[in-house]
Amino acid sequence: MTTEQTQTLLAMAVVLGMFVLLVLPSVIGIVHDRRIDRQIREAQERDAVRTQKSSSRSTVPSTATWYAEGRRSKKLVNS
């Protein structure tokens, strides 16, 4: 290998190293964002499963709901 080839190889290695140093923070950020997105998606799926389980029970309206419905119907009749 001649001196010129050695210098060229060294210059290419330096350029490649600088490229890696410039791109590495972006790659780390992308990986971090994807991990957070995956965690959010998993949490939403867990919440969806929990709400499906809790909504499978029959619910009875509260007294306040019956009272409000009765008052609404009286207003419509009186008008």
Side-chain angles (χ1 to χ4, degrees), residues 33-56:
D33 287 347
R34 294 187 98 177
R35 188 188 73 197
I36 291 174
D37 289 343
R38 188 186 75 239
Q39 290 173 347
I40 290 172
R41 196 174 11 212
E42 289 172 355
Q44 287 174 342
E45 290 172 0
R46 278 194 309 267
D47 288 344
V49 169
R50 286 181 189 161
T51 56
Q52 286 175 354
K53 286 182 181 178
S54 65
S55 67
S56 63

Side-chain angles (χ1 to χ4, degrees), residues 4 11 15 20 22-26 29 36 38-40 44 47 52 55-56 65 68 70-71 75-76:
E4 186 178 324
V15 169
V20 168
L22 290 173
V23 172
L24 189 62
S26 297
I36 291 174
R38 188 186 75 239
Q39 290 173 347
I40 290 172
Q44 287 174 342
D47 288 344
Q52 286 175 354
S55 67
S56 63
T65 305
R71 288 188 52 87
K75 286 182 182 177
L76 292 175

Side-chain angles (χ1 to χ4, degrees), residues 7-22:
Q7 288 177 350
T8 304
L9 185 63
L10 184 60
M12 287 175 52
V14 169
V15 169
L16 183 63
M18 290 177 65
F19 178 75
V20 168
L21 286 176
L22 290 173

